[in-house]
Amino acid sequence: MTARAWHLAFAGPRLLVVEEGPRVRLPEAEELAAVLETDPGSLGNAEVPLPSALGWPCRAYDLPPAFDAPQGFGLLGLRDLYERVPDELFRVAGTALQKVDWLRTHSFCSRCGHATRRHRVHEAMECPACGHLHFPRLAPAVIVLVERGREMLLARSPGFPEGMYSTVAGFVEPGESLEEAVRRELAEEVGVEIEDLRYFGSQPWPFPHSLMIGFTARWARGEVRVDGDEVVDAQWFSPERLPPRLPSGLSIARRLVDDFLKRARDRQ
Ligand SMILES: [Zn+2]
């Protein structure tokens, strides 16, 4: 009988799972060992320990990118995983993939080119030659729902699925506050100015290493004018006239939209 633990093995961006009908689960240590034809404990530096999220150990492993899942197993990207596992596991899988990806891309020092190693204390890769520390990458991005009475401003990026509109979002630039980033993104992408900017909530977004920081704001002035580059269309929508498709429940964008719709309907 093995003590409870989560084993998260990634081939490229995809997680190794055991298929059980519509649901999937993580492999047990013995199943993983059988698949890998080795003891997971002997994977050496391919193994990425994670802080225990739930009171039991969580471990991540880096499989060869071309790894093929055997019969009964599957390899799932994070977005596909979302529908098929409990929320806690989805969160831990996102964290694990970010760590694995960080280790994959920081095995050499970007300053002097020497091979790096795990720092003894810090969550960092250390260069034994020049001493440079490489911390995990995290790219903060702001996301904002702008409202005007019972309408909200949603926009379409060129890469969106057909009919989908979402809240305006963008990466924070060096030297900027979060509030400045929100105002700049709105001015650049949809041409509107806002007031009453309020913090809404945040969400780790492991695609591949963002942190989404959500806000609500009220429209102040400016006609909607899209940049045609990052945003190809933007419109005011009401609870009675919604776009054909809203962002997935996976995202803070959807939480912002649902929160607005609830408030707008209450106000009716
Ligand atoms: Zn170095």
Side-chain angles (χ1 to χ4, degrees):
M1 178 77 191
T2 334
R4 183 160 197 189
W6 274 356
H7 299 280
L8 300 114
F10 289 93
R14 296 178 304 157
L15 178 69
L16 181 69
V17 293
V18 180
E19 305 267 8
E20 288 181 336
R23 305 292 287 183
V24 297
R25 63 170 174 83
L26 292 175
E28 299 293 337
E30 298 79 8
E31 291 170 317
L32 184 60
V35 166
L36 301 176
E37 296 171 344
T38 176
D39 171 8
S42 70
L43 288 177
N45 60 9
E47 191 178 2
V48 183
L50 282 170
S52 163
L54 303 150
W56 58 79
C58 303
R59 305 191 77 81
Y61 309 86
D62 188 13
L63 303 174
F67 179 85
D68 224 355
Q71 186 75 34
F73 291 80
L75 287 166
L76 286 185
L78 284 185
R79 288 175 199 272
D80 296 322
L81 192 68
Y82 174 69
E83 302 289 339
R84 301 179 68 183
V85 298
D87 285 353
E88 315 82 68
L89 175 51
F90 176 75
R91 277 290 299 276
V92 170
T95 306
L97 179 56
Q98 287 185 76
K99 286 204 182 192
V100 168
D101 187 59
W102 166 58
L103 292 174
R104 281 174 185 156
T105 52
H106 290 77
S107 46
F108 292 92
C109 178
S110 58
R111 183 196 266 167
C112 78
H114 199 280
T116 56
R117 64 183 178 207
R118 294 295 289 265
H119 192 275
R120 205 171 43 79
V121 182
H122 300 301
E123 180 73 348
M125 298 297 276
E126 174 185 35
C127 174
C130 76
H132 192 69
L133 292 181
H134 304 265
F135 290 95
R137 275 184 295 181
L138 197 57
V142 291
I143 182 160
V144 58
L145 185 139
V146 179
E147 53 191 87
R148 186 179 69 179
R150 292 185 73 254
E151 295 178 313
M152 61 180 160
L153 182 60
L154 298 180
R156 258 189 76 70
S157 290
F160 279 6
E162 195 172 334
M164 193 177 99
Y165 284 74
S166 187
T167 44
V168 171
F171 288 108
V172 181
E173 293 182 352
E176 250 180 355
S177 70
L178 299 176
E179 294 83 349
E180 286 164 343
V182 169
R183 292 177 194 280
R184 177 185 49 75
E185 285 290 338
L186 287 169
E188 283 175 5
E189 295 190 356
V190 289
V192 303
E193 291 178 42
I194 51 152
E195 58 193 16
D196 200 17
L197 180 63
R198 288 170 192 241
Y199 176 68
F200 176 80
S202 66
Q203 179 186 41
W205 191 244
F207 303 101
H209 45 249
S210 292
L211 172 67
M212 303 299 290
I213 302 129
F215 294 87
T216 60
R218 281 191 297 126
W219 174 83
R221 64 192 72 78
E223 289 306 309
V224 174
R225 173 185 42 76
V226 299
D227 69 356
D229 184 17
E230 290 187 77
V231 168
V232 289
D233 187 32
Q235 297 178 34
W236 295 101
F237 293 97
S238 68
E240 293 74 35
R241 194 188 75 85
L242 290 172
R245 200 163 161 184
L246 288 169
S248 133
L250 164 67
S251 62
I252 193 170
R254 184 54 177 270
R255 277 172 42 211
L256 279 161
V257 167
D258 287 347
D259 170 75
F260 169 79
L261 290 176
K262 183 176 179 309
R263 285 187 289 109
R265 285 176 179 135
D266 288 349
R267 227 184 293 158
Q268 207 160 22

